[in-house]
Amino acid sequence: MAGLGQNVGTNFTLTSRMNGDLTVGGVNYRAWYFTDGSPMAGTGFLGTRDVPSAHIECPEGQETAITFVNRSPMDHTIHLHGLDVDQANDGVPSTSFAVPPMGSTVYRFTPSAAGTYHYHCHVDTVIHYARGMYGTVIVRPPGGETNLAWTGGPTFDEEVLWQLGTVDTTWMNLSTSGPGTARFRPDGFLLNGRETAAATADPYTKVVFQRGETAYIRIANYSYQWARVRLGGLSFQVVASDGRPMQSAPTVTEWELGPGERYDILLTGAQVGSWTAVVEYLDDYTGGVFGSVSTAIQVL
């Protein structure tokens, strides 16, 4: 569970930054992101990367507070995507408010169901989201258990978070949406902010567990494209969708996610071996593959 389950709590501070590192095709682009101030760098569990932003883990049924400090020269918000919050804490500027430069606020919510959710800036979402202002919220069961999906749900031995993302490098110097953002043409294909070579070696992304154990993979699609996930031919069970248990959990060898969707999958280490997991990002119009990113699965 590299980096997960270490900081389950009810009080968090996120700070906006606009000088993050994001490497695509060997070129570094300035990303926008939310940091939790971790000494490890921008995100609390992903080591030295700024995109995706810091993740949050909180227990079901307990009021959670996020102090947001805006340290950028433009307005930002935090929208808690998929969580049941009141209008004042929803982070949509037109119905609540935006946080001005050098301003701060506290968002409060009480998560009602354990599962995988996400947050993002909702100011000029088209460009702020594409620049990297998104992260994951993991709601733990009421007792804060980190090896249990939800009360009465499956237990697991290994847990990995896969955050899917694409980049259109022609957008990376834009500050506002407009004619230049009418079409998103991805040329960077990421998993936890890494392309294939780095993602395959990344201890926070590759899945490593023992034969007979179970791995729980939380998949969140932060790209503007549909994505298809395959685990090298291995069968897996899709147990949750958008923070709720599946009524009937199918066993499959591939699964597709739309933009903003989250699915939790369960993988059993039936045999020792190594496999290549592949995420393909799809063209909405043709169904073709824009590009892909891979990582490793190892059963020891």
Side-chain angles (χ1 to χ4, degrees), residues 208-212 271-273 298-300:
V208 182
F209 60 118
Q210 301 288 323
R211 180 182 178 185
Q271 58 183 320
V272 173
Q298 297 176 327
V299 179
L300 307 175

Side-chain angles (χ1 to χ4, degrees), residues 234-257:
L234 294 173
S235 297
F236 55 90
Q237 191 176 19
V238 184
V239 297
S241 169
D242 292 342
R244 298 295 188 273
M246 298 282 279
Q247 290 186 352
S248 177
T251 298
V252 297
T253 57
E254 65 178 53
W255 196 256
E256 293 187 4
L257 304 82

